[in-house]
Amino acid sequence: MTKAIYPGSFDPLTFGHVDIINRALKLFDHLVVAVAINPAKAPMFTPAERIAMLLAVVGDESRITIAGFQTLLVDYATSIDATVIIRGIRAISDFEYEFQMALMNRKLNPQVETVYLTPSAQYSFLSSRLVKEVASFDGNIDCFVPPLVAQKVRAYYAQHR
Ligand code: ADP
């Protein structure tokens, strides 16, 4: 059984993330979607809120586990017996950072492989940052994020404006 881990901020979850999750499920037996807990990043949603949104959207799939982590990624992967790190590549602009990270992670733990997946072209321009920017100006984000996430993002800006 191959267990993969898909780490990220998921602040918030978008259809791009969901696309990558579904592709990863076709390749691996079990997928741990791991929410990075980094208090220094000042996220829009708390780790508990981001985990709750992931659970609501993809939690019904028995081959998915949702978790939070705040240690070194490769150490966390090893602790849960995951041998593959999944990352999404949208465009060349993602490549440099992802390439550095893959090589650093390999140096730290050669047993863990990084696998890159590309989303459907319709999501290749999509990022959590842009979704937040559009929503902050009252733009419609319904085609970028699941309905529950859209509702939470709108509620956030209704309070923080
Ligand atoms: P970051 O790691 O920059 O904080 P996220 O945590 O939101 O970004 O994303 C986690 C992973 O999902 C990263 O590998 C990122 O490239 C990927 N990703 C984010 N949005 C998309 C998208 N629209 N299509 C494909 N992959 C995506």
mmCIF file of all heavy atoms in Angstrom, residues 6-20 34 36 41 50 86-90 94 97-98 101 116-120 122-129, ligand 1:
data_model
loop_
_atom_site.group_PDB
_atom_site.id
_atom_site.type_symbol
_atom_site.label_atom_id
_atom_site.label_comp_id
_atom_site.label_asym_id
_atom_site.label_seq_id
_atom_site.Cartn_x
_atom_site.Cartn_y
_atom_site.Cartn_z
ATOM 1 N N TYR A 6 -0.290 15.106 0.831
ATOM 2 C CA TYR A 6 -0.455 16.335 0.050
ATOM 3 C C TYR A 6 -0.462 17.499 1.042
ATOM 4 O O TYR A 6 -1.478 17.778 1.671
ATOM 5 C CB TYR A 6 -1.769 16.264 -0.735
ATOM 6 C CG TYR A 6 -2.098 17.493 -1.566
ATOM 7 C CD1 TYR A 6 -1.116 18.239 -2.206
ATOM 8 C CD2 TYR A 6 -3.420 17.900 -1.738
ATOM 9 C CE1 TYR A 6 -1.423 19.353 -2.976
ATOM 10 C CE2 TYR A 6 -3.745 19.008 -2.509
ATOM 11 C CZ TYR A 6 -2.743 19.727 -3.120
ATOM 12 O OH TYR A 6 -3.052 20.836 -3.877
ATOM 13 N N PRO A 7 0.704 18.149 1.202
ATOM 14 C CA PRO A 7 0.792 19.219 2.192
ATOM 15 C C PRO A 7 0.491 20.590 1.573
ATOM 16 O O PRO A 7 0.695 20.796 0.373
ATOM 17 C CB PRO A 7 2.271 19.161 2.595
ATOM 18 C CG PRO A 7 2.967 18.739 1.336
ATOM 19 C CD PRO A 7 2.011 17.886 0.554
ATOM 20 N N GLY A 8 0.023 21.484 2.388
ATOM 21 C CA GLY A 8 -0.205 22.837 1.901
ATOM 22 C C GLY A 8 -0.839 23.694 2.962
ATOM 23 O O GLY A 8 -1.118 23.225 4.072
ATOM 24 N N SER A 9 -1.077 24.942 2.594
ATOM 25 C CA SER A 9 -1.734 25.860 3.534
ATOM 26 C C SER A 9 -3.252 25.689 3.455
ATOM 27 O O SER A 9 -3.949 25.842 4.447
ATOM 28 C CB SER A 9 -1.373 27.307 3.206
ATOM 29 O OG SER A 9 0.006 27.444 3.053
ATOM 30 N N PHE A 10 -3.758 25.486 2.248
ATOM 31 C CA PHE A 10 -5.205 25.332 2.027
ATOM 32 C C PHE A 10 -5.970 26.476 2.699
ATOM 33 O O PHE A 10 -6.934 26.256 3.422
ATOM 34 C CB PHE A 10 -5.696 23.963 2.517
ATOM 35 C CG PHE A 10 -4.947 22.822 1.916
ATOM 36 C CD1 PHE A 10 -3.960 22.146 2.628
ATOM 37 C CD2 PHE A 10 -5.199 22.428 0.602
ATOM 38 C CE1 PHE A 10 -3.241 21.104 2.048
ATOM 39 C CE2 PHE A 10 -4.488 21.391 0.021
ATOM 40 C CZ PHE A 10 -3.514 20.728 0.755
ATOM 41 N N ASP A 11 -5.505 27.697 2.427
ATOM 42 C CA ASP A 11 -6.058 28.870 3.110
ATOM 43 C C ASP A 11 -6.676 29.840 2.106
ATOM 44 O O ASP A 11 -6.124 30.909 1.885
ATOM 45 C CB ASP A 11 -4.944 29.553 3.918
ATOM 46 C CG ASP A 11 -5.475 30.686 4.776
ATOM 47 O OD1 ASP A 11 -6.531 30.507 5.394
ATOM 48 O OD2 ASP A 11 -4.820 31.744 4.817
ATOM 49 N N PRO A 12 -7.819 29.528 1.511
ATOM 50 C CA PRO A 12 -8.628 28.343 1.746
ATOM 51 C C PRO A 12 -8.476 27.311 0.618
ATOM 52 O O PRO A 12 -7.802 27.562 -0.392
ATOM 53 C CB PRO A 12 -10.049 28.918 1.700
ATOM 54 C CG PRO A 12 -9.953 29.944 0.599
ATOM 55 C CD PRO A 12 -8.565 30.529 0.704
ATOM 56 N N LEU A 13 -9.151 26.175 0.833
ATOM 57 C CA LEU A 13 -9.240 25.111 -0.178
ATOM 58 C C LEU A 13 -9.898 25.651 -1.449
ATOM 59 O O LEU A 13 -10.910 26.349 -1.366
ATOM 60 C CB LEU A 13 -10.111 24.000 0.407
ATOM 61 C CG LEU A 13 -10.432 22.794 -0.477
ATOM 62 C CD1 LEU A 13 -9.178 21.964 -0.725
ATOM 63 C CD2 LEU A 13 -11.505 21.927 0.182
ATOM 64 N N THR A 14 -9.298 25.339 -2.607
ATOM 65 C CA THR A 14 -9.892 25.753 -3.889
ATOM 66 C C THR A 14 -10.190 24.519 -4.747
ATOM 67 O O THR A 14 -9.753 23.408 -4.415
ATOM 68 C CB THR A 14 -8.931 26.658 -4.703
ATOM 69 O OG1 THR A 14 -7.837 25.849 -5.166
ATOM 70 C CG2 THR A 14 -8.406 27.827 -3.885
ATOM 71 N N PHE A 15 -10.867 24.742 -5.868
ATOM 72 C CA PHE A 15 -11.111 23.626 -6.795
ATOM 73 C C PHE A 15 -9.801 23.101 -7.387
ATOM 74 O O PHE A 15 -9.741 21.961 -7.834
ATOM 75 C CB PHE A 15 -12.061 24.055 -7.919
ATOM 76 C CG PHE A 15 -13.501 24.144 -7.490
ATOM 77 C CD1 PHE A 15 -14.305 25.194 -7.913
ATOM 78 C CD2 PHE A 15 -14.071 23.172 -6.673
ATOM 79 C CE1 PHE A 15 -15.637 25.274 -7.530
ATOM 80 C CE2 PHE A 15 -15.402 23.244 -6.276
ATOM 81 C CZ PHE A 15 -16.187 24.298 -6.710
ATOM 82 N N GLY A 16 -8.753 23.944 -7.395
ATOM 83 C CA GLY A 16 -7.439 23.481 -7.860
ATOM 84 C C GLY A 16 -6.899 22.401 -6.928
ATOM 85 O O GLY A 16 -6.404 21.372 -7.372
ATOM 86 N N HIS A 17 -7.011 22.648 -5.608
ATOM 87 C CA HIS A 17 -6.589 21.630 -4.635
ATOM 88 C C HIS A 17 -7.420 20.350 -4.797
ATOM 89 O O HIS A 17 -6.879 19.245 -4.760
ATOM 90 C CB HIS A 17 -6.777 22.141 -3.206
ATOM 91 C CG HIS A 17 -5.933 23.320 -2.821
ATOM 92 N ND1 HIS A 17 -6.462 24.494 -2.336
ATOM 93 C CD2 HIS A 17 -4.595 23.505 -2.845
ATOM 94 C CE1 HIS A 17 -5.487 25.341 -2.055
ATOM 95 N NE2 HIS A 17 -4.349 24.778 -2.365
ATOM 96 N N VAL A 18 -8.736 20.517 -4.963
ATOM 97 C CA VAL A 18 -9.623 19.344 -5.079
ATOM 98 C C VAL A 18 -9.242 18.534 -6.321
ATOM 99 O O VAL A 18 -9.228 17.294 -6.294
ATOM 100 C CB VAL A 18 -11.110 19.785 -5.133
ATOM 101 C CG1 VAL A 18 -12.026 18.576 -5.353
ATOM 102 C CG2 VAL A 18 -11.496 20.518 -3.846
ATOM 103 N N ASP A 19 -8.904 19.233 -7.385
ATOM 104 C CA ASP A 19 -8.489 18.571 -8.632
ATOM 105 C C ASP A 19 -7.241 17.711 -8.377
ATOM 106 O O ASP A 19 -7.176 16.534 -8.772
ATOM 107 C CB ASP A 19 -8.211 19.659 -9.693
ATOM 108 C CG ASP A 19 -7.746 19.100 -11.016
ATOM 109 O OD1 ASP A 19 -6.667 18.468 -11.045
ATOM 110 O OD2 ASP A 19 -8.440 19.297 -12.039
ATOM 111 N N ILE A 20 -6.258 18.284 -7.669
ATOM 112 C CA ILE A 20 -5.018 17.543 -7.379
ATOM 113 C C ILE A 20 -5.318 16.350 -6.460
ATOM 114 O O ILE A 20 -4.785 15.248 -6.650
ATOM 115 C CB ILE A 20 -3.958 18.480 -6.729
ATOM 116 C CG1 ILE A 20 -3.554 19.601 -7.701
ATOM 117 C CG2 ILE A 20 -2.731 17.696 -6.259
ATOM 118 C CD1 ILE A 20 -2.856 19.162 -8.962
ATOM 119 N N ALA A 34 -2.495 17.252 4.343
ATOM 120 C CA ALA A 34 -1.874 17.746 5.576
ATOM 121 C C ALA A 34 -1.807 19.272 5.579
ATOM 122 O O ALA A 34 -1.137 19.888 4.740
ATOM 123 C CB ALA A 34 -0.486 17.140 5.726
ATOM 124 N N ALA A 36 -0.572 22.649 6.804
ATOM 125 C CA ALA A 36 0.604 23.195 7.484
ATOM 126 C C ALA A 36 0.172 24.224 8.514
ATOM 127 O O ALA A 36 -0.558 25.167 8.190
ATOM 128 C CB ALA A 36 1.534 23.832 6.451
ATOM 129 N N LYS A 41 2.579 32.776 9.582
ATOM 130 C CA LYS A 41 2.043 33.148 8.259
ATOM 131 C C LYS A 41 0.766 33.984 8.313
ATOM 132 O O LYS A 41 0.317 34.453 7.264
ATOM 133 C CB LYS A 41 1.779 31.882 7.433
ATOM 134 C CG LYS A 41 2.905 31.569 6.439
ATOM 135 C CD LYS A 41 2.461 30.519 5.440
ATOM 136 C CE LYS A 41 3.396 30.418 4.250
ATOM 137 N NZ LYS A 41 2.943 29.362 3.326
ATOM 138 N N ARG A 50 -9.531 25.317 8.546
ATOM 139 C CA ARG A 50 -9.101 24.766 7.245
ATOM 140 C C ARG A 50 -9.309 23.249 7.208
ATOM 141 O O ARG A 50 -9.738 22.701 6.192
ATOM 142 C CB ARG A 50 -7.630 25.134 6.994
ATOM 143 C CG ARG A 50 -7.475 26.600 6.601
ATOM 144 C CD ARG A 50 -6.029 26.966 6.416
ATOM 145 N NE ARG A 50 -5.415 27.422 7.640
ATOM 146 C CZ ARG A 50 -4.122 27.301 7.944
ATOM 147 N NH1 ARG A 50 -3.309 26.732 7.094
ATOM 148 N NH2 ARG A 50 -3.662 27.764 9.078
ATOM 149 N N ILE A 86 2.932 14.801 -2.565
ATOM 150 C CA ILE A 86 2.237 15.308 -3.756
ATOM 151 C C ILE A 86 2.283 16.826 -3.729
ATOM 152 O O ILE A 86 1.995 17.448 -2.706
ATOM 153 C CB ILE A 86 0.736 14.902 -3.734
ATOM 154 C CG1 ILE A 86 0.563 13.396 -3.669
ATOM 155 C CG2 ILE A 86 -0.016 15.511 -4.917
ATOM 156 C CD1 ILE A 86 0.869 12.677 -4.929
ATOM 157 N N ARG A 87 2.623 17.411 -4.870
ATOM 158 C CA ARG A 87 2.519 18.866 -4.995
ATOM 159 C C ARG A 87 1.871 19.167 -6.339
ATOM 160 O O ARG A 87 1.942 18.370 -7.280
ATOM 161 C CB ARG A 87 3.894 19.540 -4.922
ATOM 162 C CG ARG A 87 4.589 19.374 -3.592
ATOM 163 C CD ARG A 87 3.990 20.216 -2.487
ATOM 164 N NE ARG A 87 4.255 21.639 -2.658
ATOM 165 C CZ ARG A 87 3.772 22.578 -1.860
ATOM 166 N NH1 ARG A 87 2.984 22.252 -0.837
ATOM 167 N NH2 ARG A 87 4.051 23.843 -2.069
ATOM 168 N N GLY A 88 1.253 20.321 -6.433
ATOM 169 C CA GLY A 88 0.644 20.731 -7.696
ATOM 170 C C GLY A 88 1.535 21.738 -8.390
ATOM 171 O O GLY A 88 2.159 22.573 -7.737
ATOM 172 N N ILE A 89 1.608 21.623 -9.717
ATOM 173 C CA ILE A 89 2.351 22.623 -10.498
ATOM 174 C C ILE A 89 1.359 23.253 -11.462
ATOM 175 O O ILE A 89 0.778 22.558 -12.305
ATOM 176 C CB ILE A 89 3.491 21.976 -11.316
ATOM 177 C CG1 ILE A 89 4.593 21.446 -10.414
ATOM 178 C CG2 ILE A 89 4.046 22.957 -12.341
ATOM 179 C CD1 ILE A 89 5.756 22.364 -10.188
ATOM 180 N N ARG A 90 1.152 24.545 -11.306
ATOM 181 C CA ARG A 90 0.200 25.233 -12.182
ATOM 182 C C ARG A 90 0.867 25.802 -13.411
ATOM 183 O O ARG A 90 0.368 25.717 -14.509
ATOM 184 C CB ARG A 90 -0.465 26.390 -11.424
ATOM 185 C CG ARG A 90 -1.465 25.948 -10.411
ATOM 186 C CD ARG A 90 -1.683 27.002 -9.379
ATOM 187 N NE ARG A 90 -0.559 27.043 -8.456
ATOM 188 C CZ ARG A 90 -0.575 27.634 -7.272
ATOM 189 N NH1 ARG A 90 -1.640 28.298 -6.891
ATOM 190 N NH2 ARG A 90 0.478 27.608 -6.488
ATOM 191 N N ASP A 94 5.557 28.257 -10.649
ATOM 192 C CA ASP A 94 5.603 27.376 -9.472
ATOM 193 C C ASP A 94 6.894 26.565 -9.433
ATOM 194 O O ASP A 94 7.293 26.069 -8.388
ATOM 195 C CB ASP A 94 4.451 26.336 -9.511
ATOM 196 C CG ASP A 94 3.129 26.911 -9.044
ATOM 197 O OD1 ASP A 94 3.143 27.924 -8.332
ATOM 198 O OD2 ASP A 94 2.088 26.327 -9.397
ATOM 199 N N TYR A 97 10.440 27.280 -7.043
ATOM 200 C CA TYR A 97 10.281 27.029 -5.617
ATOM 201 C C TYR A 97 10.062 25.540 -5.356
ATOM 202 O O TYR A 97 10.665 24.946 -4.452
ATOM 203 C CB TYR A 97 9.096 27.849 -5.094
ATOM 204 C CG TYR A 97 8.718 27.547 -3.675
ATOM 205 C CD1 TYR A 97 9.575 27.860 -2.630
ATOM 206 C CD2 TYR A 97 7.499 26.946 -3.370
ATOM 207 C CE1 TYR A 97 9.221 27.580 -1.316
ATOM 208 C CE2 TYR A 97 7.136 26.659 -2.064
ATOM 209 C CZ TYR A 97 8.003 26.968 -1.039
ATOM 210 O OH TYR A 97 7.655 26.684 0.255
ATOM 211 N N GLU A 98 9.227 24.926 -6.172
ATOM 212 C CA GLU A 98 8.916 23.502 -5.973
ATOM 213 C C GLU A 98 10.149 22.629 -6.197
ATOM 214 O O GLU A 98 10.363 21.647 -5.492
ATOM 215 C CB GLU A 98 7.781 23.069 -6.905
ATOM 216 C CG GLU A 98 6.440 23.714 -6.599
ATOM 217 C CD GLU A 98 5.813 23.227 -5.278
ATOM 218 O OE1 GLU A 98 6.237 22.177 -4.757
ATOM 219 O OE2 GLU A 98 4.922 23.921 -4.765
ATOM 220 N N MET A 101 12.398 22.900 -3.225
ATOM 221 C CA MET A 101 11.831 22.196 -2.087
ATOM 222 C C MET A 101 11.981 20.677 -2.251
ATOM 223 O O MET A 101 12.305 19.969 -1.295
ATOM 224 C CB MET A 101 10.370 22.573 -1.926
ATOM 225 C CG MET A 101 9.880 22.332 -0.536
ATOM 226 S SD MET A 101 8.456 23.306 -0.167
ATOM 227 C CE MET A 101 7.296 22.589 -1.286
ATOM 228 N N TYR A 116 4.791 15.459 -8.808
ATOM 229 C CA TYR A 116 4.057 16.658 -9.213
ATOM 230 C C TYR A 116 2.887 16.311 -10.109
ATOM 231 O O TYR A 116 3.033 15.515 -11.033
ATOM 232 C CB TYR A 116 4.996 17.627 -9.947
ATOM 233 C CG TYR A 116 5.993 18.200 -9.000
ATOM 234 C CD1 TYR A 116 7.297 17.747 -8.967
ATOM 235 C CD2 TYR A 116 5.587 19.159 -8.080
ATOM 236 C CE1 TYR A 116 8.198 18.233 -8.040
ATOM 237 C CE2 TYR A 116 6.477 19.655 -7.151
ATOM 238 C CZ TYR A 116 7.771 19.184 -7.136
ATOM 239 O OH TYR A 116 8.635 19.671 -6.207
ATOM 240 N N LEU A 117 1.774 16.930 -9.845
ATOM 241 C CA LEU A 117 0.588 16.716 -10.677
ATOM 242 C C LEU A 117 0.132 18.069 -11.217
ATOM 243 O O LEU A 117 0.254 19.090 -10.527
ATOM 244 C CB LEU A 117 -0.524 16.073 -9.847
ATOM 245 C CG LEU A 117 -0.185 14.695 -9.270
ATOM 246 C CD1 LEU A 117 -1.301 14.212 -8.349
ATOM 247 C CD2 LEU A 117 0.043 13.680 -10.387
ATOM 248 N N THR A 118 -0.392 18.057 -12.423
ATOM 249 C CA THR A 118 -0.912 19.311 -12.995
ATOM 250 C C THR A 118 -2.435 19.251 -12.988
ATOM 251 O O THR A 118 -3.025 18.218 -13.297
ATOM 252 C CB THR A 118 -0.442 19.520 -14.451
ATOM 253 O OG1 THR A 118 -0.644 18.311 -15.159
ATOM 254 C CG2 THR A 118 0.998 19.910 -14.515
ATOM 255 N N PRO A 119 -3.059 20.370 -12.641
ATOM 256 C CA PRO A 119 -4.523 20.383 -12.598
ATOM 257 C C PRO A 119 -5.095 20.551 -13.998
ATOM 258 O O PRO A 119 -4.360 20.838 -14.951
ATOM 259 C CB PRO A 119 -4.821 21.620 -11.755
ATOM 260 C CG PRO A 119 -3.708 22.553 -12.096
ATOM 261 C CD PRO A 119 -2.497 21.685 -12.308
ATOM 262 N N SER A 120 -6.394 20.408 -14.095
ATOM 263 C CA SER A 120 -7.106 20.749 -15.310
ATOM 264 C C SER A 120 -6.766 22.199 -15.674
ATOM 265 O O SER A 120 -6.608 23.042 -14.782
ATOM 266 C CB SER A 120 -8.600 20.593 -15.011
ATOM 267 O OG SER A 120 -9.346 21.250 -15.988
ATOM 268 N N GLN A 122 -8.392 24.596 -16.598
ATOM 269 C CA GLN A 122 -9.299 25.634 -16.075
ATOM 270 C C GLN A 122 -8.935 26.099 -14.668
ATOM 271 O O GLN A 122 -9.428 27.128 -14.208
ATOM 272 C CB GLN A 122 -10.746 25.140 -16.099
ATOM 273 C CG GLN A 122 -10.977 23.910 -15.262
ATOM 274 C CD GLN A 122 -12.431 23.456 -15.243
ATOM 275 O OE1 GLN A 122 -13.326 24.274 -15.184
ATOM 276 N NE2 GLN A 122 -12.643 22.156 -15.302
ATOM 277 N N TYR A 123 -8.073 25.329 -13.983
ATOM 278 C CA TYR A 123 -7.664 25.733 -12.629
ATOM 279 C C TYR A 123 -6.201 26.168 -12.564
ATOM 280 O O TYR A 123 -5.670 26.416 -11.487
ATOM 281 C CB TYR A 123 -7.883 24.587 -11.639
ATOM 282 C CG TYR A 123 -9.314 24.122 -11.577
ATOM 283 C CD1 TYR A 123 -9.638 22.772 -11.630
ATOM 284 C CD2 TYR A 123 -10.355 25.053 -11.477
ATOM 285 C CE1 TYR A 123 -10.959 22.350 -11.583
ATOM 286 C CE2 TYR A 123 -11.675 24.637 -11.442
ATOM 287 C CZ TYR A 123 -11.963 23.287 -11.492
ATOM 288 O OH TYR A 123 -13.269 22.877 -11.442
ATOM 289 N N SER A 124 -5.554 26.255 -13.725
ATOM 290 C CA SER A 124 -4.112 26.490 -13.690
ATOM 291 C C SER A 124 -3.768 27.933 -13.314
ATOM 292 O O SER A 124 -2.623 28.244 -13.038
ATOM 293 C CB SER A 124 -3.472 26.100 -15.021
ATOM 294 O OG SER A 124 -4.001 26.903 -16.018
ATOM 295 N N PHE A 125 -4.742 28.809 -13.299
ATOM 296 C CA PHE A 125 -4.488 30.210 -12.903
ATOM 297 C C PHE A 125 -4.949 30.468 -11.469
ATOM 298 O O PHE A 125 -4.830 31.581 -10.961
ATOM 299 C CB PHE A 125 -5.242 31.169 -13.841
ATOM 300 C CG PHE A 125 -6.731 30.975 -13.740
ATOM 301 C CD1 PHE A 125 -7.480 31.710 -12.838
ATOM 302 C CD2 PHE A 125 -7.358 30.005 -14.507
ATOM 303 C CE1 PHE A 125 -8.841 31.486 -12.705
ATOM 304 C CE2 PHE A 125 -8.714 29.767 -14.384
ATOM 305 C CZ PHE A 125 -9.453 30.510 -13.473
ATOM 306 N N LEU A 126 -5.480 29.437 -10.837
ATOM 307 C CA LEU A 126 -6.178 29.616 -9.569
ATOM 308 C C LEU A 126 -5.235 29.469 -8.377
ATOM 309 O O LEU A 126 -4.442 28.538 -8.326
ATOM 310 C CB LEU A 126 -7.257 28.530 -9.510
ATOM 311 C CG LEU A 126 -8.299 28.564 -8.426
ATOM 312 C CD1 LEU A 126 -8.993 29.907 -8.383
ATOM 313 C CD2 LEU A 126 -9.308 27.442 -8.676
ATOM 314 N N SER A 127 -5.309 30.394 -7.444
ATOM 315 C CA SER A 127 -4.542 30.267 -6.198
ATOM 316 C C SER A 127 -5.395 30.775 -5.045
ATOM 317 O O SER A 127 -6.296 31.598 -5.242
ATOM 318 C CB SER A 127 -3.247 31.074 -6.259
ATOM 319 O OG SER A 127 -3.534 32.454 -6.247
ATOM 320 N N SER A 128 -5.108 30.291 -3.848
ATOM 321 C CA SER A 128 -5.842 30.749 -2.664
ATOM 322 C C SER A 128 -5.678 32.264 -2.511
ATOM 323 O O SER A 128 -6.613 32.972 -2.155
ATOM 324 C CB SER A 128 -5.316 30.053 -1.411
ATOM 325 O OG SER A 128 -5.491 28.667 -1.517
ATOM 326 N N ARG A 129 -4.480 32.754 -2.804
ATOM 327 C CA ARG A 129 -4.206 34.189 -2.653
ATOM 328 C C ARG A 129 -5.128 35.012 -3.562
ATOM 329 O O ARG A 129 -5.718 36.005 -3.133
ATOM 330 C CB ARG A 129 -2.729 34.470 -2.997
ATOM 331 C CG ARG A 129 -2.304 35.908 -2.746
ATOM 332 C CD ARG A 129 -0.846 36.132 -3.148
ATOM 333 N NE ARG A 129 -0.585 35.869 -4.568
ATOM 334 C CZ ARG A 129 -0.895 36.696 -5.563
ATOM 335 N NH1 ARG A 129 -1.494 37.846 -5.310
ATOM 336 N NH2 ARG A 129 -0.633 36.366 -6.817
HETATM 337 P P1 ADP B 1 1.344 27.212 -0.767
HETATM 338 O O1 ADP B 1 2.077 25.922 -0.592
HETATM 339 O O2 ADP B 1 1.955 28.137 -1.754
HETATM 340 O O3 ADP B 1 0.878 27.861 0.500
HETATM 341 P P2 ADP B 1 -1.130 25.909 -1.038
HETATM 342 O O4 ADP B 1 -0.819 25.489 0.303
HETATM 343 O O5 ADP B 1 -2.427 26.576 -1.253
HETATM 344 O O6 ADP B 1 -0.010 26.844 -1.529
HETATM 345 O O7 ADP B 1 -1.032 24.723 -2.048
HETATM 346 C C1 ADP B 1 -0.589 23.430 -1.733
HETATM 347 C C2 ADP B 1 -0.212 22.749 -3.006
HETATM 348 O O8 ADP B 1 -1.297 22.799 -3.916
HETATM 349 C C3 ADP B 1 0.985 23.370 -3.729
HETATM 350 O O9 ADP B 1 1.731 22.338 -4.323
HETATM 351 C C4 ADP B 1 0.346 24.210 -4.796
HETATM 352 O O10 ADP B 1 1.189 24.333 -5.922
HETATM 353 C C5 ADP B 1 -0.868 23.363 -5.129
HETATM 354 N N1 ADP B 1 -1.938 24.159 -5.728
HETATM 355 C C6 ADP B 1 -2.530 25.258 -5.230
HETATM 356 N N2 ADP B 1 -3.481 25.731 -6.078
HETATM 357 C C7 ADP B 1 -3.464 24.893 -7.137
HETATM 358 C C8 ADP B 1 -4.171 24.844 -8.378
HETATM 359 N N3 ADP B 1 -5.065 25.774 -8.722
HETATM 360 N N4 ADP B 1 -3.882 23.844 -9.215
HETATM 361 C C9 ADP B 1 -2.948 22.926 -8.894
HETATM 362 N N5 ADP B 1 -2.230 22.918 -7.775
HETATM 363 C C10 ADP B 1 -2.483 23.883 -6.902
#
